[in-house]
Amino acid sequence: MATETPTAIEPGAGPSVEDRISQLRELFADAPEVGKAALETVLQRLASDASAAPPPPVESAGRVGSRLGKVSELTIIVPFAPGGAARLRAFLRLFGGNLAGADAVGSVHDMRFVFLDDDTRMLFATAYDGDWDAYIDDFASRIPDFLDIIDSAWEGWPGIRSPQAKDYLAKYQITAEGWYVANDLTVAETRRLRHVGQAVDEFVDTIGS
Amino acid sequence: MTLIDRLGADLPRAPVTVDLDDIQATVLRYRPEPYYGTHVMLQVQDAQAGRELLRRLTPHIDSAADWWQAGQSWISVAISYRGRTMELARRQYEEFPGIGVLVADDFGAQPGDLNPLGYKDSISQPAIDGTGIDRLPGQGSPIKPGEFILGCPGEAGVRLPMPTPDLLGRNGTYAAVRKYQSRVGTFNRFLRRHAHTLQERELLAAKLVGRWRSGAPLTLAPGQDDPELGADPRRNNDFTYAAYAVGRQVPLGSHMRRMNPRDTGLTILTDVNVHRIIRRSTTFGAPYDPDAVAAQDDDVPRGLYFICISAKAMATLEFLQQEWINNGNFMNLGEERDPNVGLQEDGDVHDPTGAREAPHPRDSDVQRAAWRRVFLPALTDGVTMARRRLSARTRP
């Protein structure tokens, strides 16, 4: 079971913390007893830990999506085109479900393709560095076929080279209400740190031998 | 000086596939050396007057035909989408009631064609497919014309979005314009704080940009400036970064390398060809003064009209600012920013040399005004169409 770590409430803009708490209590009035009791426990802990600095708020990742530090989330729920689910599943299985080829993109932390509702819709979710639309022209030029194989499984996909591609993706993207990522490091920084760590180990091994 | 004057009559030729007669000269002609001119921004208050101005001006706007050997002086016209600003020739506007002048700024090369921070600039331009000239030394593979001229296929093989109807957009393009005030005092103080001899200062100045004052690149002139190399257009851009992967000789974060990474290994999947710009910046104001170190020297009027041309001007500009100027991730430099035009956050100390030789200026060397995006219509159709549009607005 995960440890419950209450964090201080982010004051931020909008309604005051007190107003947000009283709204929360109102909404929880109809909640199951177990939820209601849990809320009171958590609120008490938060109140007794008022000295803790609030975490930085989640920012917008451009047109749609949330960002924490340098890492953004992208969640898309999109209807499959007729036959699209079968095509995409067969394509993903070609790689045993492992899209390691995405290493080359250099800004993608993770990706998942989840088939929903009897293969009629798909959830695509990814964590990535920066803004996705900044590099879409690069993808259209460098890896158009890969993207069009995947995305042509979706209803009405205009093609990655189409000027409408960005609008299409934005239309089906849903901003996450909550977003957490452990490291405020880009993929490039993580890789560099791995190299640095290896080099330090080698160095220590060498001078120690 | 035209391109053929600079590079010689054996300029490498290639087939022409774009409609040079219909494209404005300024899209393809290189900035003359030395150069002088006036930027005029007009506001059309009376549509009829705007139409008449364009009608009279059109015959004076050169096309890009034979751009490598034609004309030393020319007029360009750009129109903002909302019809609020225009860049026109100064001598045309005075006689027109109904046209208001917003800006009329003279510009011109400093002694030695140097920019306000004392460098020769605008050296590297993209090679563009189908414009009649093959790649020049160091230009890399030619870029599809649609990245710079609307209506032609771009790098992804399709046409970029353009104003409708097609008649208006085709063979036109966009320019993004921004006026920068150069903070010469801040720049010089930075050099003096981190380098004690003149020689060290000049090396530091070269590491920031990737080129020495003369334009000689650090790839080819690692130890000291080489004015002869800097002045030789056949040699001063003729290099790749294949032998300079780490960035000790030419810092990864130097302005030149950021703005055109060429074959530098980047951390993110990138097509450098879709982020190139045609550079037509102009320098205005007082010449660079290497001894200007006072706070008030920052306020002496001098700077750049940064002008770049791209068929997707604002998207290109946003990409450059967000990814290549105010970020370092693409070169694995963390949050390091462009040492010349990056926005420096107070307290930032960066290492543009990659070798811990030189911390970064805390203050940006430039101060900005707002960007303006303007549309450079094609000659035969676009200007005519713009005239008709102005005309249509005057009807009840």
Side-chain angles (χ1 to χ4, degrees), chain A residues 105 131 138 141-142 161 186 192, chain B residues 156 269-271 275 329 332:
Chain A
V105 174
D131 286 351
D138 301 77
S141 152
R142 295 286 305 273
R161 295 178 178 90
T186 64
R192 185 176 53 188
Chain B
L269 186 76
T270 305
D271 180 349
H275 306 299
N329 194 49
N332 216 342

Side-chain angles (χ1 to χ4, degrees), chain A:
Chain A
M1 185 190 155
T3 319
E4 284 182 56
T5 314
T7 48
I9 297 168
E10 198 278 305
S16 70
V17 174
E18 290 74 21
D19 287 350
R20 278 185 275 169
I21 289 175
S22 66
Q23 192 199 8
L24 199 56
R25 283 206 171 100
E26 276 169 37
L27 290 168
F28 268 72
D30 301 332
E33 279 308 316
V34 60
K36 228 187 286 189
L39 178 70
E40 288 309 318
T41 314
V42 165
L43 287 177
Q44 262 171 23
R45 274 193 229 166
L46 287 175
S48 65
D49 195 23
S51 59
V58 166
E59 298 168 275
S60 167
R63 277 169 77 170
V64 198
S66 296
R67 177 182 310 153
L68 193 59
K70 298 168 188 163
V71 186
S72 310
E73 62 82 27
L74 179 140
T75 311
I76 281 175
I77 297 181
V78 58
F80 274 122
R87 292 196 296 268
L88 182 55
R89 182 174 281 119
F91 182 69
L92 294 172
R93 284 186 178 167
L94 191 62
F95 309 100
N98 181 351
L99 292 170
D103 271 358
V105 174
S107 54
V108 177
H109 292 257
D110 66 36
M111 285 194 290
R112 73 197 64 193
F113 297 82
V114 184
F115 291 36
L116 306 172
D117 303 339
D118 217 7
D119 282 0
T120 57
R121 296 197 297 162
M122 193 191 89
L123 164 80
F124 171 74
T126 177
Y128 67 98
D129 298 323
D131 286 351
W132 63 259
D133 58 345
Y135 278 93
I136 200 146
D137 295 330
D138 301 77
F139 300 159
S141 152
R142 295 286 305 273
I143 49 168
D145 300 331
F146 206 80
L147 291 170
D148 278 341
I149 288 173
I150 293 174
D151 299 353
S152 64
W154 303 344
E155 195 176 86
W157 172 245
I160 189 66
R161 295 178 178 90
S162 162
Q164 276 80 50
K166 281 188 195 183
D167 290 340
Y168 179 93
L169 294 170
K171 178 179 159 195
Y172 289 108
Q173 188 179 353
I174 304 165
T175 301
E177 292 290 342
W179 169 233
Y180 169 76
V181 59
N183 284 322
D184 184 23
L185 291 172
T186 64
V187 172
E189 287 169 323
T190 310
R191 289 176 182 169
R192 185 176 53 188
L193 287 178
R194 191 165 57 202
H195 287 305
V196 170
Q198 283 165 353
V200 169
D201 284 347
E202 262 176 54
F203 176 72
V204 170
D205 288 350
T206 309
I207 61 166
S209 61

Side-chain angles (χ1 to χ4, degrees), chain B residues 174-223:
Chain B
Y174 290 102
V177 182
R178 186 180 224 180
K179 188 179 182 180
Y180 285 84
Q181 163 74 17
S182 295
R183 292 176 176 157
V184 170
T186 300
F187 178 69
N188 285 336
R189 283 198 304 279
F190 168 77
L191 294 182
R192 282 167 195 239
R193 200 159 57 239
H194 299 290
H196 301 297
T197 66
L198 178 62
Q199 205 182 357
E200 284 171 3
R201 281 207 293 276
E202 288 308 289
L203 177 63
L204 176 55
K207 294 280 187 186
L208 298 176
V209 169
R211 291 182 187 273
W212 299 88
R213 306 280 195 181
S214 74
L218 282 169
T219 39
L220 306 179

